[in-house]
Amino acid sequence: MKICAAVIGTGIGLKHILAIDGYKNSKVIMVYEKNKSKVSKLKKNFPKIKFVESENEIFSEKKINLVSIASYDNYHFKQILKCLKKNINVIIEKPICLKLDELKKIKETLKKSKSNITSNMVLRVNDLFLRIKKEINPQNIYYIEGDYIWGRKEKILGWRSQIKNFSFTLGAAIHMIDLICWILNDKPVSVASFGNNLATRRTKFKKKSFLIYILKFPNQKIVKITANMVGIHDHFHDLRIFTNKSTYVHNLNKTFKIVKENNKLRKINLNYNYPDKLRRKKMIQNFIDYLKNRKIKQMITKNEIFDLMSICFAADDSLKLQKEIKIKYLR
Ligand SMILES: NC(=O)c1ccc[n+]([C@@H]2O[C@H](COP(=O)([O-])OP(=O)(O)OC[C@H]3O[C@@H](n4cnc5c(N)ncnc54)[C@H](O)[C@@H]3O)[C@@H](O)[C@H]2O)c1
């Protein structure tokens, strides 16, 4: 199968172009970027790509069999539906949509479509997290804490402060929730969320910019996650995994595991690659591999994507209703 792709949006979308174009006989033939002032420079950098004036030019081009959507969150839902109705495969940036009703509609439409879908949960291809997942038997884990410290306060004030249903659960915590469910190979039963806007209350960002979630998993496992958008800190995924045999620690200073030997604690440095940004394109490339050969294992399945969204919606409900919420997964 020859991939003829289009990309919508050229922020992180630029990385999508680089991941797709030239990979195993795949080509990006069209891009839609709505900010016209960006387009002339892009045309110089990508002379072989056609920069179109409207997204509909993409959906009416018969050659296109893959669309990679990296527009603002509020456009994702409609753009996905357009792809599914035309049986075009979709790579969708997180979050795939902003409301539970939209998620249900996507699921329904996907059932009737020939399209395949993936979402760009890039932490799954990170060397450090891949190796940690391989080393730990999830049955031995009793507690994980993961802090996604975004550290990009100024970015909050752009489109993220203008979109009605925007949330940092869907915009950021989603990565940490996905990472931890993937490491545990399980999904939570309930979630309780709390948050504040102390660091942003005098700005135009009116939602919570610091969020904390307690997720209960089967067999009494507990996970604590924070999405800390405003911390004066490097952009970082801080992680501690407690098992009954060892503790894994990944923080700004060091990555190591702690084991107990002859009644003494021993710290073993882990020289694994993080943030390992060069590998991120592998998430998109794995989807292309899958489109070409359905025997290839997908790094994330569509059911995992829908379950992840259900967890995020429950987490935001908990924040709003101020109580622990049992998570309902779509069938
Ligand atoms: N998976 C990840 O790690 C990751 C990282 C960054 C961003 N994202 C997601 O990617 C999306 C874009 O975020 P970003 O950081 O690239 O934002 P950005 O502001 O850096 O860039 C977005 C670009 O897309 C264009 N655009 C927006 N909506 C469009 C539309 N409907 N049609 C055509 N062009 C459109 C904008 O003009 C802009 O140039 C968001 O949904 C975000 O959550 C995911």
Side-chain angles (χ1 to χ4, degrees), residues 11-12 33-34 38 71-73 75-76 93-94 120 159:
I12 191 81
E33 166 52 62
K34 76 185 179 80
K38 276 175 108 177
S71 52
Y72 301 146
D73 299 0
Y75 296 108
H76 292 181
E93 265 306 342
K94 41 65 32 179
N120 201 22
W159 59 268

Side-chain angles (χ1 to χ4, degrees), residues 51-63:
F51 285 82
V52 295
E53 300 277 321
S54 125
E55 64 183 39
N56 291 333
E57 286 186 53
I58 290 173
F59 298 112
S60 54
E61 170 55 64
K62 293 220 163 45
K63 274 196 261 172

Side-chain angles (χ1 to χ4, degrees), residues 8-13 16 32-36 38 55 69-76 79 93-95 119-123 148 152 155 159-160 166 170-171 175 280:
I8 303 179
T10 60
I12 191 81
H16 293 215
Y32 176 48
E33 166 52 62
K34 76 185 179 80
N35 179 348
K36 294 211 163 47
K38 276 175 108 177
E55 64 183 39
I69 301 171
S71 52
Y72 301 146
D73 299 0
N74 54 319
Y75 296 108
H76 292 181
Q79 290 170 341
E93 265 306 342
K94 41 65 32 179
S119 193
N120 201 22
M121 305 314 298
V122 288
L123 298 184
Y148 184 7
R152 297 165 170 172
K155 270 192 151 189
W159 59 268
R160 292 174 177 86
F166 180 83
L170 292 162
H175 277 298
R280 286 192 178 175

Side-chain angles (χ1 to χ4, degrees), residues 146-294:
D147 297 310
Y148 184 7
I149 312 174
W150 207 56
R152 297 165 170 172
K153 191 169 167 183
E154 51 311 322
K155 270 192 151 189
I156 291 179
L157 307 177
W159 59 268
R160 292 174 177 86
S161 60
Q162 286 155 21
I163 291 174
K164 189 168 164 242
N165 293 303
F166 180 83
S167 93
F168 271 124
T169 306
L170 292 162
I174 191 167
H175 277 298
M176 200 41 104
I177 296 171
D178 180 59
L179 177 74
I180 291 177
C181 290
W182 174 73
I183 289 173
L184 284 172
N185 196 22
D186 212 343
K187 51 192 191 206
V189 188
S190 71
V191 54
S193 321
F194 308 84
N196 72 35
N197 67 345
L198 292 174
T200 45
R201 67 185 156 185
R202 289 195 186 86
T203 72
K204 60 181 176 177
F205 186 77
K206 293 301 169 210
K207 298 188 178 149
K208 306 272 193 271
S209 52
F210 173 74
L211 295 148
I212 173 163
Y213 316 85
I214 307 291
L215 298 130
K216 288 187 191 155
F217 281 72
N219 303 319
Q220 292 194 64
K221 286 182 209 287
I222 295 179
V223 167
K224 183 216 80 185
I225 288 174
T226 63
N228 182 349
M229 313 318 297
V230 285
I232 308 302
H233 197 283
D234 299 30
H235 183 91
F236 201 80
H237 305 88
D238 199 297
L239 196 65
R240 281 206 290 175
I241 303 174
F242 293 85
T243 85
N244 54 15
K245 293 190 165 63
S246 58
T247 303
Y248 282 72
V249 180
H250 170 57
N251 65 33
L252 208 47
N253 296 322
K254 247 186 180 177
T255 306
F256 56 99
K257 76 173 167 184
I258 310 171
V259 291
K260 207 166 196 180
E261 282 170 1
N262 304 324
N263 236 5
K264 274 194 183 148
L265 290 180
R266 189 158 86 90
K267 294 192 179 74
I268 304 163
N269 284 338
L270 302 175
N271 296 318
Y272 305 156
N273 216 341
Y274 175 90
D276 199 18
K277 287 197 172 168
L278 288 177
R279 271 182 71 87
R280 286 192 178 175
K281 60 177 185 229
K282 298 235 175 274
M283 199 71 206
I284 284 175
Q285 292 177 343
N286 163 261
F287 185 61
I288 294 179
D289 291 342
Y290 173 77
L291 294 179
K292 286 171 178 275
N293 176 2
R294 299 303 150 94

